[in-house]
């Protein structure tokens, strides 16, 4: 089954899509694709077949998103917690991932045609080396595409992602790239696996469960959360439309909360910069209080230096992450 399905919406779907697009549309939608195993039990089929049907539904959902002008999709494909499942099921999921990433690489021309950029978020070191290399090929091959984005969370949990972001900032301090005082909420966001993406506007979980299961906890604090009872392999275009309608009904309050949070972040950063400047002036001012002009000049200088440090750190972090994928790709070519 192809990752990118061709085909138009039917007439009724087109009319509904056009009505929806008259309102505010989510640009980034995240899915917790839950219910594959229950679907398999319901249909008296093997679990692996349920997971296969789940992937087929993802391909179909990506087609709907394309027609709805949703440019970015993030999916929870494999949690770190899933490693606790039976060996047979885990091995089956790894094999399914191999097949699907091999298929993706066969469709490189189609991905380029549609401008699809594939990103895989998670700790790939937990995966078999051959699967790591397949994923690296897919990521490197499509990284220049910029029309639409598919983020696949694999060997991922949000708590692990946040912990890793803290480690990255600690690495930056150890390397002398940033100061401990540079650590902030916005900087942590820039250190997440998802740093290249805007936060999701809409998160959808299927199967009737009403929890996030350690998925995008940081990124969805101001997102619309929609929980639907349908099992993922049975998901329909109309389920997606219903979720988007719920987003539209709550759009104003979500946008207001985001704006308030952005303003609070800016104020907190200003206060933190002022505190650092005040401490610096106190230590280097020979006991004399600085006048307002000197304080303002010092604040401007400190802010400029901090922003330059952070930019250098983020470039170093990007280079480190890019090198990880490039090295895996190179090793795969040489193998």
């Amino acid at each position: 089954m192809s990752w990118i399905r061709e085909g138009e919406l039917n007439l009724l779907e087109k009319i509904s899509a056009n009505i929806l697009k008259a309102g505010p549309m989510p640009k980034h939608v995240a899915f917790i694709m839950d219910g594959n195993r229950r679907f398999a039990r319901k249909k008296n089929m093997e679990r692996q077949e349920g997971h296969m049907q789940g992937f087929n539904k993802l391909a179909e959902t990506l087609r709907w998103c394309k027609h709805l002008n949703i440019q970015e999709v993030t999916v929870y494909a494999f949690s770190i917690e899933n490693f606790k499942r039976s060996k047979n099921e885990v091995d089956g999921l790894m094999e399914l991932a191999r097949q699907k990433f091999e298929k993706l690489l066969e469709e490189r021309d189609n991905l380029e045609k549609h401008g699809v950029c594939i990103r895989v978020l998670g700790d790939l070191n937990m995966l078999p080396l051959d699967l790591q290399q397949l994923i690296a090929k897919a990521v490197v091959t499509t990284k220049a595409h910029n029309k639409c984005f598919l983020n696949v969370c694999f060997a991922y949990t949000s708590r692990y992602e946040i912990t890793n972001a803290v480690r990255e900032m600690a690495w930056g301090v150890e390397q002398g790239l940033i100061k401990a005082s540079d650590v902030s909420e916005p900087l942590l966001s820039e250190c997440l696996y998802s740093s290249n993406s805007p936060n999701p506007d809409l998160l959808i979980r299927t199967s009737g469960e009403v929890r996030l299961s350690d998925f995008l906890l940081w990124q969805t604090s101001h997102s619309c959360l929609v929980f639907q009872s349908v099992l993922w392999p049975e998901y329909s275009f109309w389920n997606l439309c219903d979720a988007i309608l719920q987003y539209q009904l709550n759009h104003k309050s979500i946008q207001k909360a985001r704006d308030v949070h952005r303003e609070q972040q800016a104020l907190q950063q200003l206060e933190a910069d002022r505190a650092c400047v005040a401490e610096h002036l106190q230590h280097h001012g020979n006991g004399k209080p600085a006048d307002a002009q000197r304080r303002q000049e010092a604040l401007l200088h400190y802010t400029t230096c901090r922003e330059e440090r952070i930019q250098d750190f983020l470039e170093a972090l990007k280079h480190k992450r890019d090198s990880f994928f490039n090295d895996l790709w190179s090793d795969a070519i040489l193998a």
Side-chain angles (χ1 to χ4, degrees):
M1 176 61 68
S2 171
W3 284 70
I4 306 298
R5 283 194 181 181
E6 303 289 349
E8 296 295 322
L9 301 176
N10 65 41
L11 180 60
L12 184 56
E13 289 171 342
K14 283 183 180 179
I15 293 171
S16 300
N18 288 335
I19 292 171
L20 278 178
K21 286 189 284 188
M25 290 293 291
K27 296 180 177 64
H28 182 184
V29 177
F31 291 94
I32 301 178
M33 306 178 293
D34 196 17
N36 292 342
R37 295 193 295 175
R38 272 174 280 175
F39 174 79
R41 287 196 298 269
K42 177 181 174 181
K43 299 293 184 180
N44 295 315
M45 58 177 62
E46 295 293 327
R47 283 181 179 178
Q48 188 69 3
E49 180 61 25
H51 292 305
M52 179 67 76
Q53 293 296 324
F55 174 81
N56 294 345
K57 183 55 62 177
L58 169 61
E60 190 173 14
T61 302
L62 293 176
R63 180 175 69 88
W64 299 332
C65 288
K66 174 177 173 289
H67 286 295
L68 289 164
N69 297 336
I70 296 169
Q71 298 172 328
E72 187 151 2
V73 171
T74 299
V75 296
Y76 204 1
F78 189 87
S79 166
I80 293 172
E81 294 297 313
N82 292 154
F83 282 113
K84 297 177 182 178
R85 294 182 179 180
S86 71
K87 185 178 184 304
N88 285 343
E89 185 173 2
V90 172
D91 289 347
L93 288 167
M94 293 298 127
E95 182 57 33
L96 179 61
R98 287 187 188 93
Q99 294 172 13
K100 296 311 173 185
F101 279 103
E102 286 172 352
K103 180 65 176 177
L104 184 146
L105 290 168
E106 293 173 4
E107 298 180 316
R108 278 175 285 193
D109 291 344
N110 203 21
L111 292 170
E112 183 175 2
K113 171 187 170 184
H114 292 284
V116 180
C117 175
I118 304 292
R119 303 183 185 124
V120 180
L121 316 182
D123 188 349
L124 301 192
N125 289 306
M126 296 182 180
L127 304 175
L129 180 58
D130 64 324
L131 180 53
Q132 292 183 44
Q133 292 172 337
L134 281 171
I135 289 171
K137 285 182 184 180
V139 170
V140 173
T141 300
T142 65
K143 68 179 181 180
H145 303 170
N146 59 10
K147 291 182 182 176
C148 50
F149 303 88
L150 173 61
N151 306 310
V152 182
C153 293
F154 209 97
Y156 171 95
T157 64
S158 187
R159 286 176 294 180
Y160 190 95
E161 178 185 32
I162 294 168
T163 301
N164 183 71
V166 173
R167 289 196 195 101
E168 300 288 24
M169 291 188 293
W171 171 79
V173 173
E174 290 171 1
Q175 297 295 314
L177 296 169
I178 55 174
K179 297 180 179 180
S181 58
D182 296 331
V183 173
S184 65
E185 183 182 327
L187 182 58
L188 191 149
S189 295
E190 293 287 346
C191 294
L192 296 172
Y193 296 135
S194 61
S195 58
N196 291 320
S197 302
N199 290 336
D201 300 300
L202 170 63
L203 183 145
I204 299 168
R205 177 165 189 162
T206 58
S207 87
E209 297 289 345
V210 289
R211 52 194 169 85
L212 295 181
S213 295
D214 215 347
F215 180 56
L216 301 181
L217 301 179
W218 184 276
Q219 297 90 331
T220 56
S221 59
H222 300 100
S223 303
C224 179
L225 309 182
V226 176
F227 300 97
Q228 298 176 306
S229 60
V230 61
L231 301 177
W232 174 250
E234 298 175 323
Y235 204 68
S236 73
F237 176 79
W238 305 112
N239 294 130
L240 179 57
C241 288
D242 175 65
I244 292 171
L245 182 58
Q246 292 189 53
Y247 165 78
Q248 292 179 335
L249 292 172
N250 291 281
H251 176 261
K252 286 186 178 179
S253 62
I254 292 170
Q255 195 58 50
K256 181 178 179 180
R258 287 182 170 182
D259 291 342
V260 169
H261 181 66
R262 196 177 298 113
E263 291 170 3
Q264 289 175 340
Q265 279 190 329
L267 182 59
Q268 288 169 359
Q269 186 63 68
L270 178 60
E271 291 174 350
D273 288 349
R274 283 175 172 166
C276 289
V277 168
E279 183 179 359
H280 176 79
L281 291 175
Q282 185 178 2
H283 288 163
H284 298 85
N286 298 319
K288 298 179 181 179
D291 59 31
Q293 182 177 351
R294 186 184 172 200
R295 288 198 303 271
Q296 188 62 31
E297 290 173 351
L299 178 62
L300 180 61
H301 176 73
Y302 178 84
T303 301
T304 301
C305 290
R306 174 180 58 76
E307 290 175 349
E308 289 176 354
R309 283 195 303 272
I310 288 174
Q311 187 61 39
D312 290 343
F313 162 65
L314 292 176
E315 287 178 3
L317 180 58
K318 181 180 184 300
H319 176 74
K320 183 171 74 164
R321 291 179 173 178
D322 287 347
S323 295
F324 173 79
F325 283 104
N326 289 330
D327 291 347
L328 277 173
W329 190 32
S330 299
D331 291 344
I333 293 173
L334 295 173

